Amino acid sequence: MRRLILSLVCLLFAATAPAHAKPGPFDGVWLFDDADPRPGVTMVEIATKGGVTAGTVTTQWYGPMPIARMTVEGDTATFTMRNLNDREHPTREWRAKLEDGKLRLLGQIWFSEIDELGRRGTKADAAQRAFRVTTLPPLGTLAPDGMARTPPMGWSSWNKFAEHIDDKTVRAMADALVSSGLRDAGYTYVNIDDGWQGTRGPDGRIRPNAKFPDMKALTDYVHAKGLKIGIYSSQGPRTCAGYEGSYGHVRQDAQTYADWGFDYLKYDLCSGEWFYDTADTVQRSYYEMGEALRATGRPILFSLCEYGRFDVGSWGRKVGGHLWRTTGDITDEWKVMTDIGFERNGNPAHAGPGGWNDPDMLEIGNGGMTHDEYVTHMTLWAISAAPLVMGHDLRETSPEALALLTNRAVIAIDQDARGIQGTRVRKDGDAEVWAKPLADGSVAVALFNRGTAAKRMLLAPADAGATRIGEAHDLWANKRVADPAADVTVPAHGAVLLRVRAG
Ligand code: GAL
């Protein structure tokens, strides 16, 4: 009898089990060979268990991304994927369609459209293509290293050349820094941004692409000019422009940069935002590289680029950062430059010797703004103690741009040893007054006119924290202000920068 009951139960189970165990039409491994540039789909794995179909989409940029809420209707499956960096669409609906034994994947992630055809693969293929997820070290604190006592100054390839940067152009920029006098004005870093990376060797070591035949020879060349040189990477698998990132190779890359002779690293979150999307993981991912750079024993300036997320200024130094971006990218436009410079230039309490808020690179020399607008740009960056990293073709610097970039008295405001980030002290519509106390007891006062018509503005003693103005020097006009109590005409979209002493 017991046997009979057991057999009946088994029979019943066998009758219901196949419906659950039966693989769905989408089940299996699907291989994508022509990974689209972003996010670079390499594989889709789908399995039906207990009547529920789920799986992952593996990408070069973000690793394995889980598929959620999959429903199957005929030869089409619809499912939800997490979307990055888009508050309005935190998730997106994707579709998979069976087409002649292949799988067409249709979807969207951030601003990339995905339309890819995959072929069936085996479990062995899946194992071979599996993304290696790495874990982060616990967060530690790096002691100050004495670098970046004043905001870093130099040049970076991104604003002008984007990915179209090569060894020859970097050398030409180093030459131009010297011949133009910019180096002697303080611009010492020549930074290669995104686009130098090639593939990894069999030992995992990153190699430059064909545009950079010999990194050591390049750093030697730049060093011989009395300059320093910077490089760029991401803690993600891919950089923002889609090049090889440092994910899984952080220590090794830090050592490679040191071996090549680099003095500066810009480390850009990019595809790492999929893995590191909390204050804790973002900090640890920067700490991981900060610590790896220290471990090389070479002094390497560390520039954090995560667009101001998670109050970066409050922990940037702890992870070894010397400057940290406060926003997304600047462009060569008045609206964008002023929006960043006036409104999103970071918390001044976090800036000072050793660590600086970075409202992004300069656009002076790129031609998208008027001369007065560039005066505002330089004045605003200087009074904000912002890093001064140029981003134009240095071979084509106009005399006007050169005068703006090399004005020693203005640079001295930016580079003042006290390292205070200036702040807005007064605002009246389009007129703004900003002040920055300086090491010698004087105060830099900037009068900004954000309006479209020239404006008469008055310097008030209180702007400089004084009861009476002793003397004022106009740094752009390079002259003593005869009567500091008289009003000053500030051109439309322009600025006046004064160095003021109480009297
Ligand atoms: C952006 C970064 C830019 C530039 C670019 C390179 O994320 O903000 O400054 O580095 O990536 O792809």
Side-chain angles (χ1 to χ4, degrees), residues 191-215:
N191 294 342
I192 308 169
D193 206 280
D194 211 350
W196 63 268
Q197 310 87 330
T199 54
R200 294 190 180 275
D203 54 355
R205 197 171 150 103
I206 187 74
R207 298 172 297 197
N209 58 39
K211 296 184 297 161
F212 291 89
D214 186 341
M215 279 300 197

Side-chain angles (χ1 to χ4, degrees), residues 158-159 193-194 232 239-241 266 268 270 305 307 325 327-329 360-361:
W158 187 254
N159 284 359
D193 206 280
D194 211 350
Y232 167 98
T239 64
C240 295
K266 175 173 166 185
D268 197 347
C270 300
C305 181
Y307 335 115
R325 281 271 295 276
T327 68
D329 294 11
D360 206 1
M361 300 169 282

